[in-house]
Amino acid sequence: MGVDQKQAVLRLPAEQLYARELEALGAADRDSRPAGWRLSPKAVLTFLTGGKAGGVAITPKYIGNKRLVEMAIATLLTDRALMLIGEPGTAKSWLSENLTAAIHGDSSKVIQGTAGTSEEHIRYSWNYAMLLAQGPSDQAIIKSPIYRAMETGGLARFEEISRCASEVQDALISILSEKTISIPELGRELSAVRGFSIIATANTRDRGVNEMSAALKRRFNMIVLPSPSNVETEVEIVRKRVGEIAASYELKAAPPEEEFVRQVVTIFRELRSGATLDGKEKVKAPSGVISTAEAISLLTGSMALAASFGDGEIREEDLAAGLQGAIVKDEEKDRIAWKEYLENVMKKRGSAWRNLYQACSEMNA
Ligand SMILES: Nc1ncnc2c1ncn2[C@@H]1O[C@H](COP(=O)(O)OP(=O)(O)O)[C@@H](O)[C@H]1O
Ligand SMILES: [Mg+2]
């Protein structure tokens, strides 16, 4: 892809965003590569958790427990598929995309699970005009992402699998146990090439999810991605991702001061856990999900505000607007919970928090 085209794309897939790193890892990789893999398992781990390859610095993609990433990679070496589960915003999709980019070089074979997902989205469907004109043929087949991954020995991603109806989920069972898709209309079956696997994600806190059958769960290794274990880790994740996202949007604003990031992360952690960080005071949790991902988009949103309508420096008013939007989702209840937090916790925290407290109070009046 040329440079011009690259600039026109709103969001680059991981394999393009980190093309230089992947290339350097490939060149420096001395270990053997499993069938269908572009890199050795060790090089995939370096891509995800950071390090060096030749002279090139590899930025960490997943920040947290390295062992979880090792287990995810190891799963894909076996005939079991991988399922990443956890609360919203714990980097399930992000890890899935980057794993796929490193191992397979194409993270775009994705099925997005919804209530409307049908078996055809998982297997194949037909170009009906062609089907009517010529009858079933290879040309008339519309291949699903999973079909294409099986054909090439690659990875398919299945996002939010638990939002699909149970019968639809169960269409995966035969694919994962037999590693084939039968095409009765053509009297043949498609057998997966070595290297094929699936990385699925599922939220544990989601409305409208369907229970997964035991038979399906057995086909997957489940790995739970936790919320960041402490403030420092979460601040690091947020700072890093805000920097990357702001750069890709070319926002003309300074990245948020570390103090602002720390304040946002502190507020989010306290509201999420229902208590102040020191554990001394209870706080009411708002109705919505206030995840790390939310903190990231709040701060990139603040940068956009500061860049477009301010002097390029994030101010307390920008943060207050973002906090209000992230926390007050259900008008009545959340507004009260946020007010209580402002009065009982934030107001008492002294001078470093005073301006933010004031801006938030005005916004929530
Ligand atoms: N532990 C983490 N390491 C790196 N990035 C993280 C981490 N946790 C959250 N993020 C960031 O949060 C954002 C949202 O993550 P996403 O994968 O969409 O969440 P999920 O699919 O679990 O709901 C991404 O930009 C991701 O980089
Ligand atoms: Mg996701």
Side-chain angles (χ1 to χ4, degrees):
M1 183 179 279
V3 173
D4 291 345
Q5 249 173 315
K6 243 185 183 170
Q7 280 170 344
V9 171
L10 185 56
R11 183 187 176 284
L12 288 173
E15 59 271 20
Q16 283 173 35
L17 189 59
Y18 300 116
R20 224 169 75 83
E21 293 186 12
L22 289 169
E23 204 174 299
L25 281 163
D29 200 359
R30 298 281 167 269
D31 289 319
S32 69
R33 300 167 195 197
W37 286 41
R38 298 204 155 194
L39 295 173
S40 68
K42 276 204 186 119
V44 173
L45 181 67
T46 305
F47 178 70
L48 287 158
T49 58
K52 260 195 159 324
V56 178
I58 309 297
T59 60
K61 314 299 175 304
Y62 182 77
I63 298 169
N65 189 345
K66 192 171 179 177
R67 190 75 196 154
L68 291 178
V69 182
E70 290 175 356
M71 279 159 51
I73 297 169
T75 296
L76 296 169
L77 290 166
T78 70
D79 70 343
R80 292 186 116 207
L82 171 65
M83 177 142 12
L84 302 172
I85 56 180
E87 304 244 315
T90 46
K92 299 179 296 297
S93 302
W94 178 244
L95 182 56
S96 156
E97 178 181 347
N98 280 283
L99 271 171
T100 309
I103 294 171
H104 177 49
D106 172 15
S107 62
S108 71
K109 299 188 186 77
V110 188
I111 297 175
Q112 187 67 49
T114 69
T117 305
S118 71
E119 253 194 83
E120 294 184 343
H121 293 119
I122 294 179
R123 296 153 63 87
Y124 60 88
S125 55
W126 297 99
N127 174 333
Y128 282 103
M130 261 194 186
L131 187 66
L132 288 176
Q134 310 162 5
S137 67
D138 279 318
Q139 291 75 38
I141 283 195
I142 300 172
K143 301 167 180 177
S144 74
I146 291 181
Y147 190 118
R148 287 187 281 124
M150 289 173 79
E151 236 178 5
T152 54
L155 293 177
R157 298 168 51 208
F158 202 138
E159 286 285 297
E160 306 288 1
I161 191 170
S162 54
R163 288 195 192 162
C164 302
S166 307
E167 314 85 77
V168 177
Q169 293 177 18
D170 283 349
L172 270 183
I173 293 178
S174 71
I175 293 178
L176 289 174
S177 50
E178 320 294 330
K179 310 279 194 251
T180 57
I181 291 181
S182 72
I183 313 167
E185 298 92 336
L186 294 179
R188 68 171 175 89
E189 56 185 30
L190 167 76
S191 297
V193 172
R194 276 187 69 194
F196 164 70
S197 193
I198 293 178
I199 304 179
T201 65
N203 269 319
T204 44
R205 245 189 79 180
D206 204 354
R207 272 164 235 165
V209 299
N210 300 295
E211 213 20 69
M212 282 177 277
S213 69
L216 181 66
K217 282 186 189 159
R218 268 204 308 279
R219 268 58 185 200
F220 283 97
N221 255 359
M222 309 277 197
I223 294 183
V224 181
L225 298 186
S227 296
S229 54
N230 54 52
V231 181
E232 294 314 316
T233 313
E234 194 161 356
V235 167
E236 187 191 342
I237 294 169
V238 172
R239 287 190 74 184
K240 175 164 183 298
R241 290 295 293 149
V242 168
E244 287 177 353
I245 293 168
S248 78
Y249 292 163
E250 298 175 359
L251 292 179
K252 292 192 177 46
E257 290 167 34
E258 173 151 358
E259 187 57 26
F260 279 161
V261 178
R262 193 170 299 276
Q263 288 177 332
V264 169
V265 166
T266 301
I267 294 167
F268 273 35
R269 289 184 76 84
E270 296 187 325
L271 291 174
R272 203 185 295 150
S273 67
T276 50
L277 292 185
D278 59 14
K280 287 198 179 131
E281 207 157 344
K282 283 208 165 119
V283 304
K284 241 183 236 153
S287 60
V289 176
I290 34 178
S291 67
T292 312
E294 233 85 18
I296 293 168
S297 55
L298 187 164
L299 285 159
T300 36
S302 300
M303 281 179 72
L305 275 177
S308 317
F309 307 113
D311 60 2
E313 299 274 343
I314 296 181
R315 258 187 291 257
E316 277 85 356
E317 296 85 79
D318 303 321
L319 285 188
L323 283 165
Q324 185 79 16
I327 294 165
V328 181
K329 299 244 160 83
D330 169 306
E331 266 299 303
E332 282 307 305
K333 265 198 283 165
D334 292 344
R335 194 180 287 277
I336 294 168
W338 182 220
K339 187 162 180 60
E340 280 184 23
Y341 180 87
L342 290 174
E343 297 306 318
N344 299 341
V345 180
M346 221 204 260
K347 192 176 182 180
K348 298 176 184 161
R349 282 212 161 125
S351 58
W353 288 73
R354 190 159 303 137
N355 292 342
L356 185 59
Y357 162 77
Q358 230 124 40
C360 289
S361 302
E362 273 167 38
M363 190 67 73
N364 195 47

